[in-house]
Amino acid sequence: MTEIRGLSGQSAGGTVPGGTVVSEIRGLSGKPVADLTLEAVRAGEVSLADLRIHPETLERQAVVAQEHGNPQLADNLRRAAELTQLPDDDVLGIYEALRPGRSTAAELTVLAESLADRGLPRCAALVAEAAEVYARRGLTA
Amino acid sequence: MTSPQPVGRIRFMDQQRVNLDGFAVEDPELGLTAMRSPRDPDPSLVVKDGRVVELDGVPEAEFDSIDTYIARHGLDLAVAAEVMGLTDVAFARLLVDPAVPRAEIIRLSAGATPAKLARVLALLRPPELGLAMTKLRARRTPSNQAHVTNRLDDPLLLAADAATAAAFGFREVETTVPVLADAPSNAVACLIGAAFGADGVLIQCSVEEALELELGMRGLTSYAETVSLYGTEQVFTDGDDTPWSKAFLTSAYASRGMKMRVSSGAGAEVLMAGARGQSMLYLEARCVALARAIGAQGVQNGGIDGASVAAAVPSGLRELMSENVMVMMRNLESCSGNDALMSESDMRRTSRTLPIVLAGSDFVFSGFGSIQRYDNMFGPSNFNAEDIDDFLAMQRDWGIDGGLRTVAPARIGELRREAAQACRAVYAHLGLADFSDEHVDLAVDAAGSKDLGETDTLAVLSAAHAIRQRGLTVVDIVAALDECGYVDMAERTMAFTRARLTGDYLQTSAIFDSQLRVLSLVTDPNDYAGPGTGYAPTPERQREIDAIRQARGVEDLRAVQARSAVAMLAPVGPARPGQGPRDVVIGVSPAVGRDVWRCLSGLAVTGVLREMLAGLEEEGCTGRIVRFNDSVDLGRIGLAAARLAGSGIGIGLQGKGTALIHRRDLAPLANLELYSVAPSVTPELYRLLGANAARHAKGGTPDPARNPYSDEAIEARYHTTVIALMELERRRMDAAAPPEELSLEGLT
């Protein structure tokens, strides 16, 4: 069972809504999904980065979500696409900073700016909005 | 005078299990009200320059964090005026009008405020809620989720139970731990086990967020659903989150390729004393609007941990189902609760779940306890391993698809052994833990963790620690399976890992089917538009639903009866009229001594005859046995026997055990004594029947037997067997065949 099946059971080479050819899907490392075989595992050629979802995949799914009546899910998937470039600890660190009473508004604003600088504009906007609302609602440190 | 004790009737009613349940006086101030409270706002939505400046009666300056997030991100302002302009009744009717497609409801609901949806849903009566659910759920094919946990976090039992759950048809398996640090081991054990049961089952390990994300990132689990939302800012903050932290977490899961749904549901705010005097449905409407706003693909609601709070107030169950339908209106996946035991009464808990099973949901249960109640580390679900056969029967009774299927008992045994052995092999191969052959045997056979006896729980903890510290991933598990000789399972797990990377299962309501095809809002959209449309089981699936293992046909019964056959009751010649005044004939039905050997009571037919003959002899009569081949009717058999007997008294006996005494001058249906409840007749009663027949023959006074009574569902138990037994009798019937005298050898 080495073929890749995508939507509606199409095998490798088929297309999915959003127009991407399934066989072109890659892991975050850039390795084609079709290369993630048991033989590759035996050869020690599969790393965790190969198993991580690629931002282009998330972007393509965002298009599909938008076309199926859920722009909010699309936004979420696009924020997720941005987050693929951050290490796990950074992701968990941002989550912690956003919990109630953890950060001052100024700290959140700085965090938003740093995210924008690192090329995560949507995540930056989320954090910037939190800074504003948290200050008004007493959710800051 | 002290207050008198209630009468016996009331004392008896008090003892019924339903009276163990708590029922609350409706109290809106405490939030103990289901559908509507005086403190619920009137729906309103004011938009100025593309910005929401009033939401459900609250001006923008007073928006709390939940209002703010919904107002800024959750509403489609392009349809807001249109939907908010509809009367509640007009909108409610659209929900149940088959001519109005799901897409139109989705379009309108996107612009409706929380209070508006709460008001609209409060108008639907229960059957209307069912119809709305059938029409509005996102995925066409209904599905189901299982809890797989145990008190010991025993990996071999988890693997065996995950395989069992997957084989029964559950497409998601959710585990959790009594000991937090065991989580990585539970995830691995369920991952291995489920792969044996079926392809493409999604695994979740419900623990705190950081660890849950970590397990997902390593490919050991593939979805999450315990990201909680609450309906008031105070309770949300007490839960140590905000809408923004949850929105971020939602994206974090997606960024690691994990499916995720949020969790909410009635009663949480009441339990945390933060309901602000508002109804459960309105507060949940805020949660569901927020779920959509933050971009979650789905919601687990329907009470969840607060289900019994909702169930304690009037219309509480209606509220729980309304929550699920509201999720569907927001174009999200519904994982429909039913995962907390909400009553001590079997009738009430069935009443809570059945309407959702009948209507069909993306997940009928957000955790059917596939293990026994005591092993459910989420707390007992509303249905558990105790109820799997009930659920399979309910699916079959109503001809609907609740996601489960029957598996041959032998297959369950094989799967459990394969899964437990593979789990042991992988743990040993990776140097995680060593388990004995005896432990494997116990896990395979165990109905629950109490059957394992004492286990080494420290070994589990140490295995879990090693999995985490060494950073083991799904690739390590695949390699271990492969090297231990489980090549098919290694391939299967790798194929699933690849399939995840397409991201298709991040779409709304996505599951994998057993061919690793994604079924979701996108690939399998619900197209219900009235009778004759929408999901119906394929003929193959319907056969799977119908073929429960308890079903028996005539040939099954023939085989069972054949196992009781003995070399007795041989025909010895044509039956002749008797002469002596003490001659009594026992007439038996056509299949007796051929195909029917055991009565419904479990007594051997020969044993029954022996008792009757002994009863006759005690009273000084002699009995003969004659088989009548021309009728299966007991009255006719008994009467014909009486007419052959020298005494004019006959006994009739059908193979199933029904018996009577007859006299030659009576009409066929007017017998002297009848034992109609064949399953309950004892040897002593058959002997008494013989004795009474003899007394009738002698003109004496019989001692009439009382039919035994029972409060059991005798008809439910025996009617199908009766039908099959009567068919065996009918097939031996030959109107032209004369009566035959049967040998008494071995009977006297």
Side-chain angles (χ1 to χ4, degrees):
Chain A
M1 209 192 312
T2 51
E3 66 171 351
I4 307 298
R5 293 197 187 92
L7 296 169
S8 309
Q10 294 141 327
S11 52
T15 57
V16 295
T20 308
V21 178
V22 174
S23 60
E24 290 178 358
I25 291 175
R26 292 168 185 277
L28 186 62
S29 63
K31 182 177 284 186
V33 166
D35 292 353
L36 301 176
T37 60
L38 186 55
E39 289 69 37
V41 171
R42 286 173 181 154
E45 291 168 355
V46 179
S47 71
L48 192 54
D50 299 330
L51 303 182
R52 287 269 310 274
I53 198 161
H54 196 280
E56 285 170 12
T57 306
L58 289 163
E59 172 58 31
R60 183 170 52 77
Q61 296 296 345
V63 172
V64 175
Q66 188 93 37
E67 288 169 354
H68 287 81
N70 198 333
Q72 290 85 358
L73 177 56
D75 286 347
N76 171 45
L77 294 169
R78 292 193 168 108
R79 282 194 300 268
E82 292 180 355
L83 289 175
T84 56
Q85 62 176 286
L86 294 193
D88 301 343
D89 288 347
D90 285 11
V91 170
L92 291 170
I94 298 168
Y95 170 59
E96 183 62 20
L98 283 170
R99 298 178 94 167
R102 304 298 202 284
S103 311
T104 63
E107 285 166 343
L108 288 173
T109 303
V110 170
L111 175 59
E113 284 165 0
S114 82
L115 289 170
D117 291 345
R118 292 166 78 179
L120 292 81
R122 293 165 188 276
C123 292
L126 184 83
V127 174
E129 187 177 79
E132 171 219 324
V133 178
Y134 287 14
R136 182 167 61 79
R137 296 302 299 174
L139 296 169
T140 48
Chain B
M1 187 178 147
T2 55
S3 64
Q5 172 174 248
V7 294
R9 171 63 73 90
I10 300 299
R11 297 199 304 278
F12 173 73
M13 288 167 66
D14 283 345
Q15 288 164 10
Q16 305 305 314
R17 290 189 64 81
V18 69
N19 289 311
L20 294 169
D21 292 349
F23 294 93
V25 173
E26 190 167 38
D27 188 341
E29 282 307 305
L30 298 182
L32 281 171
T33 189
M35 306 298 281
R36 189 155 169 181
S37 164
R39 297 255 203 113
D40 290 350
D42 289 328
S44 73
L45 185 63
V46 180
V47 180
K48 203 170 276 178
D49 303 327
R51 186 179 176 92
V52 176
V53 296
E54 182 188 310
L55 179 70
D56 291 337
V58 180
E60 187 180 12
E62 294 170 25
F63 279 178
D64 67 14
S65 54
I66 298 170
D67 297 321
T68 305
Y69 207 102
I70 294 169
R72 293 193 187 176
H73 305 286
L75 299 172
D76 181 355
L77 301 183
V79 296
E82 180 185 356
V83 64
M84 295 302 285
L86 281 175
T87 66
D88 296 343
V89 167
F91 196 173
R93 287 181 183 171
L94 299 179
L95 299 182
V96 296
D97 181 348
V100 178
R102 177 182 184 275
E104 176 64 1
I105 304 297
I106 299 308
R107 185 184 73 82
L108 288 169
S109 302
T113 65
K116 182 71 175 178
L117 290 193
R119 286 284 170 89
V120 168
L121 280 167
L123 290 170
L124 297 194
R125 300 182 188 94
E128 293 161 347
L129 279 172
L131 184 53
M133 183 173 273
T134 301
K135 169 167 140 179
L136 295 175
R137 74 165 180 270
R139 191 192 328 110
R140 190 173 189 269
T141 310
S143 186
N144 215 331
Q145 181 199 103
H147 290 163
V148 175
T149 61
N150 65 60
R151 288 150 55 249
L152 306 170
D153 291 331
D154 185 79
L156 304 191
L157 184 58
L158 285 166
D161 285 341
T164 305
F168 274 131
F170 293 104
R171 301 309 297 167
E172 286 187 350
V173 162
E174 181 184 26
T175 190
T176 193
V177 284
V179 178
L180 176 62
D182 288 344
S185 170
N186 283 29
V188 168
C190 286
L191 176 74
I192 294 169
F196 280 87
D199 219 337
V201 174
L202 300 177
I203 307 292
Q204 182 199 356
C205 184
S206 173
V207 285
E208 55 93 17
E209 262 111 17
L211 182 53
E212 189 156 351
L213 248 174
E214 184 185 317
L215 295 171
M217 289 188 268
R218 296 196 195 158
L220 300 176
T221 59
S222 38
Y223 80 101
E225 72 176 3
T226 41
V227 178
S228 300
L229 303 185
Y230 302 98
T232 67
E233 187 177 66
Q234 178 212 320
V235 176
F236 217 117
T237 308
D238 289 347
D240 208 17
D241 268 299
T242 74
W244 284 264
S245 67
K246 290 299 196 193
F248 184 82
L249 195 57
T250 304
S251 302
Y253 278 109
S255 76
R256 269 55 186 172
M258 277 182 89
K259 176 180 174 173
M260 184 276 242
R261 68 177 71 91
V262 296
S263 181
S264 55
E269 296 83 3
V270 186
L271 286 170
M272 292 168 84
R276 307 188 305 197
Q278 292 174 323
S279 70
M280 297 178 195
L281 186 57
Y282 169 66
L283 291 176
E284 182 58 18
R286 289 165 59 83
C287 295
V288 175
L290 184 62
R292 171 69 185 264
I294 67 174
Q297 65 79 33
V299 179
Q300 163 186 233
N301 72 359
I304 313 302
D305 295 338
S308 51
V309 177
V313 299
S315 299
L317 301 189
R318 195 156 153 175
E319 194 280 337
L320 295 178
M321 190 166 179
S322 300
E323 293 182 4
N324 303 143
V325 175
M326 189 183 288
V327 169
M328 296 168 180
M329 292 173 78
R330 292 275 184 208
N331 203 19
L332 302 176
E333 173 189 72
S334 172
C335 200
S336 300
N338 293 306
D339 59 347
L341 188 61
M342 49 61 72
S343 175
E344 293 283 0
S345 150
D346 290 339
M347 289 184 83
R348 281 193 84 216
R349 64 189 181 89
T350 306
S351 150
R352 183 264 179 276
T353 294
L354 184 62
I356 293 163
V357 177
L358 297 181
S361 173
D362 292 320
F363 293 91
V364 179
F365 289 75
S366 43
F368 185 124
S370 73
I371 47 5
Q372 284 193 59
R373 283 186 184 186
Y374 73 73
D375 263 335
N376 198 328
M377 292 299 108
F378 294 100
S381 180
N382 206 37
F383 280 41
N384 299 281
E386 290 87 342
D387 310 306
I388 289 177
D389 278 335
D390 294 78
F391 188 82
L392 290 168
M394 283 163 57
Q395 282 192 146
R396 181 179 190 264
D397 291 340
W398 291 96
I400 52 91
D401 189 341
L404 299 200
R405 63 180 170 217
T406 290
V407 189
R411 184 70 190 131
I412 292 287
E414 289 163 12
L415 286 173
R416 291 180 69 86
R417 181 158 297 279
E418 289 167 6
Q421 282 175 338
C423 187
R424 173 175 67 164
V426 167
Y427 274 54
H429 183 82
L430 292 172
L432 301 174
D434 288 307
F435 297 104
S436 67
D437 289 345
E438 189 200 0
H439 194 142
V440 171
D441 291 342
L442 288 171
V444 169
D445 193 56
S449 63
K450 289 179 183 172
D451 300 336
L452 295 182
E454 288 290 307
T455 62
D456 184 357
T457 50
L458 283 180
V460 177
L461 194 61
S462 142
H465 185 72
I467 293 167
R468 195 166 188 196
Q469 290 308 308
R470 287 160 55 189
L472 296 185
T473 72
V474 69
V475 175
D476 298 302
I477 307 303
V478 167
L481 281 167
D482 180 44
E483 283 163 33
C484 295
Y486 298 98
V487 181
D488 288 352
M489 289 305 128
E491 289 276 17
R492 180 177 269 199
T493 306
M494 213 49 212
F496 179 67
T497 301
R498 286 192 300 267
R500 271 182 55 170
L501 284 174
T502 66
D504 295 342
Y505 95 125
L506 301 176
Q507 296 294 339
T508 303
S509 301
I511 53 172
F512 288 96
D513 72 6
S514 55
Q515 284 81 49
L516 282 192
R517 291 177 301 215
V518 168
L519 303 181
S520 70
L521 169 75
V522 175
T523 62
D524 185 33
N526 186 5
D527 56 355
Y528 179 83
T533 68
Y535 176 80
T538 61
E540 183 189 8
R541 172 68 181 134
Q542 193 68 55
R543 278 193 294 279
E544 202 172 62
I545 290 166
D546 295 347
I548 60 173
R549 72 180 197 285
Q550 301 89 341
R552 295 285 181 276
V554 173
E555 293 315 311
D556 296 310
L557 184 83
R558 183 192 294 282
V560 168
Q561 287 286 340
R563 287 200 285 275
S564 297
V566 289
M568 289 166 72
L569 298 177
V572 293
R576 305 195 187 286
Q579 302 303 324
R582 300 216 166 179
D583 172 54
V584 175
V585 171
I586 303 173
V588 297
S589 50
V592 167
R594 290 162 163 163
D595 302 320
V596 176
W597 295 94
R598 201 161 283 280
C599 303
L600 291 174
S601 60
L603 298 173
V605 174
T606 48
V608 167
L609 290 167
R610 195 176 285 124
E611 293 296 334
M612 289 174 167
L613 290 167
L616 287 166
E617 192 184 336
E618 280 169 12
E619 291 293 326
C621 289
T622 34
R624 291 187 286 148
I625 300 173
V626 173
R627 181 163 62 212
F628 293 88
N629 294 312
D630 61 343
S631 178
V632 299
D633 179 80
L634 184 61
R636 293 190 179 281
I637 292 167
L639 183 58
R643 287 177 178 165
L644 271 185
S647 65
I649 295 294
I651 294 175
L653 174 68
Q654 280 174 321
K656 67 191 173 78
T658 312
L660 52 67
I661 304 174
H662 228 304
R663 200 173 66 203
R664 71 156 63 106
D665 58 337
L666 298 176
L669 292 179
N671 55 70
L672 294 171
E673 270 185 41
L674 172 66
Y675 288 173
S676 58
V677 191
S680 310
V681 185
T682 60
E684 295 72 27
L685 283 169
Y686 283 120
R687 184 177 285 239
L688 178 61
L689 189 86
N692 278 347
R695 289 172 185 141
H696 280 292
K698 295 187 294 184
T701 308
D703 174 16
R706 308 248 173 247
N707 268 307
Y709 285 94
S710 160
D711 61 359
E712 293 167 340
I714 290 287
E715 295 183 350
R717 278 198 213 176
Y718 295 106
H719 264 175
T720 54
T721 311
V722 168
I723 291 163
L725 275 170
M726 291 307 287
E727 176 59 15
L728 292 182
E729 299 279 7
R730 194 194 60 77
R731 288 184 193 175
R732 285 291 187 177
M733 201 175 90
D734 179 355
E740 312 163 86
E741 186 110 12
L742 301 185
S743 166
L744 296 180
E745 201 181 326
L747 296 177
T748 53

